[in-house]
Structures are given as structure tokens and as C-alpha cells.
Amino acid sequence: NAGVTQTPKFRILKIGQSMTLQCTQDMNHNYMYWYRQDPGMGLKLIYYSVGAGITDKGEVPNGYNVSRSTTEDFPLRLELAAPSQTSVYFCASGASGANVLTFGAGSRLTVL
Amino acid sequence: TQLLEQSPQFLSIQEGENLTVYCNSSSVFSSLQWYRQEPGEGPVLLVTVVTGGEVKKLKRLTFQFGDARKDSSLHITAAQPGDTGLYLCAGAKFGGQNFVFGPGTRLSVLP
């Protein structure tokens, strides 16, 4: 019963590098989300998806891209890393109509 | 600007004390959730409240949703060190399944 799995847990990037944060869930949830958490700022929504093949921007999408080719997977892509993207990233999933999110353990990204 | 405000931002108390933390907004929500987050982990759901005026109890934790569906409170009775963590509230707008999070209250319960 894995729930939501995120990889990697930690990553250090240089400015301008690119990388993908992986997220997979085994609960057959339709909804998936990417949030970033900065100190004292709570969670900000980057992108979300209501089902395979459908994605939409959240509150802070600039500098990121996502795809949803399967129900299980929702990777987050950073194309040109910037210091402002230093943060902890959380992937979450939820069943349609359910008022509950299940979160992964997070990925801590540092851009130097 | 924060759509959801939480207060206090930090709270440090002794084991056995009672406390209340608050989540406030000028917006109306269809439901409101409370999560607890421990260092190095993702938030974990504590409760969801969906009806204005609703009160839910979870052992020593009591959650209330405001009559106007704009605010909520979390009361902890006889706090224990295991209650230490970041408490986040999140609101869901009507007709959607996007959740807006508050900045959190960081609670420290000292033995």
C-alpha cells in the first residue's frame, strides 16, 4: 500500500539545468496535484490534473511543465532551473468528489 | 496575499495545556480540511468539515467550521509532545476540487 511516491527525495541543481520530479500513485485517483512549500508560505498549487491527458495551471505555474499520460503518473518538469525554484515540492492525489488529499513525502530541491 | 490566514503563526506550550488555533478567510468554502505535517514528511489529513457550524471531535482534537463557512478552529485538549507539528488548513471552493492552503501554525509541545 504505497500511496503517493515521489522521487528523488533530495536534489541539487545548478542554474539553467533541467530535471523531472517523478510522482506515482497506486490508489486509482483521478485528481493529481503538484504543490511547492516555501517557509512560512504554506502550499502553493503549481499544476493539477483531473485525469489522464488533462492538465491545468495552478497559482504558480511559471517555469514548470507537467504531463499526465497515465492515471498513475504525474511528473513535474523544470526546464531552466532558477534559484527561485528552491523549495520543497509535494505531489498529492485525490479521488473525484472526495474532500481529501493524499500527499507524498516531498522532494527537496536546491538550485545554486 | 493569503486567501486563508492562520493564527497564531507559532505556538509553544507545555504538555497538558489546552490550545486553539484559527483559520480565517473572507471567502466562502464548500469544505475545509485540517492537516498535520511533521518534518520531512507530507501533510496528513486530520479532518474534513463540510457543513456550516459543524463540530467534529477526534480524540483530544475538536474542529469547528464557522456558520458562514469562512473560518474554522482547531482546539486541542491536554496537549502532548506527539501533537507537535505544522497544522495546515485548506479550503475547497464550490464546484471545484482545488484546495487553497493557509500558511500553517507551527505547534511545539514541550514535555
Side-chain angles (χ1 to χ4, degrees), chain A residues 18-101:
Chain A
S18 61
M19 76 158 298
T20 299
L21 298 177
Q22 301 292 344
C23 176
T24 187
Q25 53 95 6
D26 62 359
M27 297 170 286
N28 202 32
H29 286 167
N30 288 331
Y31 289 79
M32 295 189 74
Y33 309 81
W34 274 105
Y35 288 91
R36 58 177 287 173
Q37 186 175 36
D38 300 320
M41 298 298 292
L43 293 158
K44 300 287 188 184
L45 182 64
I46 305 171
Y47 270 95
Y48 68 99
S49 169
V50 302
I54 305 169
T55 63
D56 212 341
K57 296 178 181 179
E59 186 181 357
V60 289
N62 291 343
Y64 307 95
N65 276 301
V66 293
S67 60
R68 185 93 183 270
S69 57
T70 67
T71 298
E72 295 79 18
D73 300 306
F74 191 42
L76 177 71
R77 178 97 179 145
L78 285 74
E79 290 294 348
L80 291 170
S84 61
Q85 294 177 304
T86 294
S87 189
V88 181
Y89 292 84
F90 287 98
C91 179
S93 72
S96 179
N99 291 313
V100 55
L101 295 179

